[in-house]
Amino acid sequence: MAKSSQLSILGGLAAAIGASACCAGPLVLLLLGISGSWISHLTLLDPYRPIFIFVVVVLFGFAGWKIHQPVENCADDEACAVPKVRTRRKAVFWFTTLLAFVFVTSNYWIIWVV
């Protein structure tokens, strides 16, 4: 459970960053003091945004399914049977889900920040 849910969370977070690269990427680069005409080419990723969002939803759905499975499905010697580990994994999952949500929805709220 640990490896599959960790990999899907990391993959989902990477896809969320990819989904926000067209909108939040140029703003972040400008806030860091990096400028140039090449920044406008980051909008080339915009047609792939729905694919990135689909990947985010699938990977986080799989991770949530693995993390929130009943304790009865875990063997006694697995980490998913330990309450402290389950709580920590759920907290990491929900934090990264919130972070991915911020990245994916960045093109809707970024105009108010600028």
Side-chain angles (χ1 to χ4, degrees):
M1 177 179 124
K3 287 289 184 194
S4 61
S5 62
Q6 288 174 353
L7 288 176
S8 60
I9 287 175
L10 289 176
L13 199 55
I17 291 170
S20 70
C22 66
C23 310
L27 176 66
V28 170
L29 290 174
L30 289 174
L31 290 175
L32 291 174
I34 301 170
S35 63
S37 62
W38 61 273
I39 291 178
S40 64
H41 292 292
L42 290 177
T43 59
L44 294 174
L45 295 175
D46 196 36
Y48 303 107
R49 187 169 162 68
I51 296 169
F52 281 122
I53 293 172
F54 177 75
V55 170
V56 168
V57 170
V58 168
L59 290 176
F60 273 101
F62 177 73
W65 174 68
K66 292 296 279 185
I67 289 173
H68 289 85
Q69 70 179 347
V71 178
E72 294 81 29
N73 294 352
C74 299
D76 291 335
D77 58 342
E78 288 184 2
C80 64
V82 180
K84 186 182 264 189
V85 173
R86 287 179 63 84
T87 304
R88 186 174 47 236
R89 285 184 180 169
K90 287 179 183 179
V92 168
F93 169 74
W94 285 109
F95 175 74
T96 54
T97 302
L98 178 66
L99 192 61
F101 179 76
V102 168
F103 285 143
V104 167
T105 61
S106 65
N107 68 328
Y108 300 112
W109 57 263
I110 204 83
I111 55 175
W112 292 307
V113 175
V114 179

